[in-house]
Amino acid sequence: MKPSHALMAALAVLALGAAQPAPAAAQAPAAKAKPVAWKTVDSVNLAEFNKDLVPGKPTMDVAIYVPSNFDPSFKKVSVQQMLDGLRSAKEIYAPTGVQINLVSVKTGVVDPRFLAIQANEIPRVPDTEYLNSYESSVRHPTELTDMARQAFQSMIEPRKDSDRTVYLIALQDVIMPFLELAEGRNWTIKMVRTGGLSFPSYSYYGTMPSAYRGVITITNLSTPSRAKRTIAHEIGHKVMNVSHEYRTTSPAHEIYADGGLMLYGSGVEVPSGEAGRWHLERLLMSPYLYKLRPDGTKQWNPDYKEGGHYYDPLYGDKVIRFPGQSKMDPNW
């Protein structure tokens, strides 16, 4: 008995379907990375590094993680370079009265997939002149890639006050995509190879898991300028919660100028008052700071009230109201 035309058609569809791979959306997600088996770097003397700490002064806790399985040709970051960069940061922040407490320095084998990561998803909506960049980030916050999320899940160890700790993680490459005006009313997607990336709350508003909101990646300390300023600059994004800005310079993706710590250049100033865009005041209010009580417990600053956007009520009037700006022809 011959099968009907309908049955033959159905069998053909089934056979064709079986021969095709499942759509990407239907495929099983990549297996989660195993936690890194970090080991303490015994040659680092934490007591010696922290010997200048004074109880009662504003302090931040910093942990350093450096993979032990960098590719052989990668020479831009080492344990020693991370320590030297953090020492430089201690000196830069000393005039502000803020101390850096090094809590651990560890090394271990990282999943090779995560030695280079794309930090964030490609932005969906560019900034225009209707909102300033901080306001725009509240409406359209930066989002971690699944790659970055899994990387941090594997690297950040559970510990008390994890959400108040600054984690300096050395990697080979951290790529950040962004949108830039091309011409007319056209935008283009660009990707920048970062030397350091702070994953700040003003940008990742409501999208960064609290357990590793203190993450900062470091990928290049190989020049004198980077060795001196990179770690201090990236910590500034995290603890001041401001972008690349300085006095009369409003935030922008990259600003090369002689000025304060938060511009690309040689400056190290953390200015105060409205004229200084409240950098010092915002630093001293940071949720990443605490004061050590006489009994050895930590008195933490208040945490963010609305997830840590630039205008979070935590900062009160220590904010700058400025208009949006665009290079686009207003008569487009």
Side-chain angles (χ1 to χ4, degrees), residues 40-299:
T40 298
V41 179
D42 295 331
S43 61
V44 177
N45 188 329
L46 295 180
E48 177 66 20
F49 191 95
N50 296 322
K51 67 181 181 181
D52 58 342
L53 296 184
V54 178
K57 292 183 65 175
T59 306
M60 71 179 83
D61 284 346
V62 175
I64 291 177
Y65 291 124
V66 180
S68 61
N69 58 321
F70 282 139
D71 289 319
S73 60
F74 179 73
K75 307 294 183 183
K76 296 185 183 299
V77 184
S78 66
V79 170
Q80 190 58 53
Q81 286 172 311
M82 293 283 273
L83 289 169
D84 291 344
L86 192 60
R87 285 194 185 93
S88 179
K90 284 169 68 81
E91 295 173 1
I92 289 171
Y93 283 99
T96 71
V98 172
Q99 307 178 120
I100 293 176
N101 176 44
L102 180 58
V103 297
S104 64
V105 181
K106 295 186 178 182
T107 187
V109 177
V110 169
D111 188 319
R113 293 178 297 161
F114 301 140
L115 293 176
I117 62 173
Q118 178 180 322
N120 56 281
E121 299 289 355
I122 295 173
R124 295 177 177 85
V125 180
D127 291 348
T128 61
E129 70 273 21
Y130 308 121
L131 298 171
N132 70 41
S133 58
Y134 293 135
E135 294 166 332
S136 181
S137 288
V138 174
R139 294 188 186 180
H140 304 288
T142 306
E143 299 178 40
L144 284 177
T145 60
D146 184 62
M147 177 191 300
R149 185 182 298 269
Q150 288 196 45
F152 298 152
Q153 284 175 342
S154 73
M155 295 174 190
I156 301 302
E157 300 171 294
R159 68 182 299 270
K160 184 181 180 182
D161 304 325
S162 177
D163 61 338
R164 304 275 194 153
T165 302
V166 174
Y167 296 99
L168 298 178
I169 301 176
L171 294 176
Q172 289 183 185
D173 268 315
V174 177
I175 307 300
M176 184 185 77
F178 64 97
L179 299 177
E180 185 174 90
L181 184 66
E183 58 180 357
R185 54 194 174 99
N186 300 312
W187 298 79
T188 186
I189 298 170
K190 289 192 172 183
M191 303 185 96
V192 62
R193 189 183 192 189
T194 64
L197 191 61
S198 58
F199 300 85
S201 294
Y202 66 77
S203 181
Y204 288 79
Y205 170 62
T207 65
M208 178 67 76
S210 61
Y212 35 91
R213 70 178 186 179
V215 163
I216 294 173
T217 54
I218 302 295
T219 55
N220 190 350
L221 298 174
S222 63
T223 67
S225 176
R226 289 186 181 279
K228 179 180 179 181
R229 294 181 76 253
T230 296
I231 288 178
H233 174 89
E234 298 305 331
I235 287 176
H237 284 307
K238 188 74 74 177
V239 297
M240 295 180 217
N241 205 15
V242 300
S243 185
H244 299 114
E245 58 168 51
Y246 178 70
R247 297 191 181 275
T248 59
T249 305
S250 293
H253 177 64
E254 290 183 335
I255 305 176
Y256 293 87
D258 292 329
L261 179 62
M262 300 318 298
L263 297 183
Y264 291 126
S266 58
V268 296
E269 181 192 9
V270 179
S272 64
E274 185 173 7
R277 302 186 75 92
W278 306 111
H279 285 188
L280 177 60
E281 289 79 4
R282 292 173 67 90
L283 166 64
L284 296 176
M285 299 171 75
S286 173
Y288 293 96
L289 300 187
Y290 64 88
K291 293 180 180 178
L292 201 62
R293 299 187 182 98
D295 64 359
T297 59
K298 298 175 180 178
Q299 180 182 344

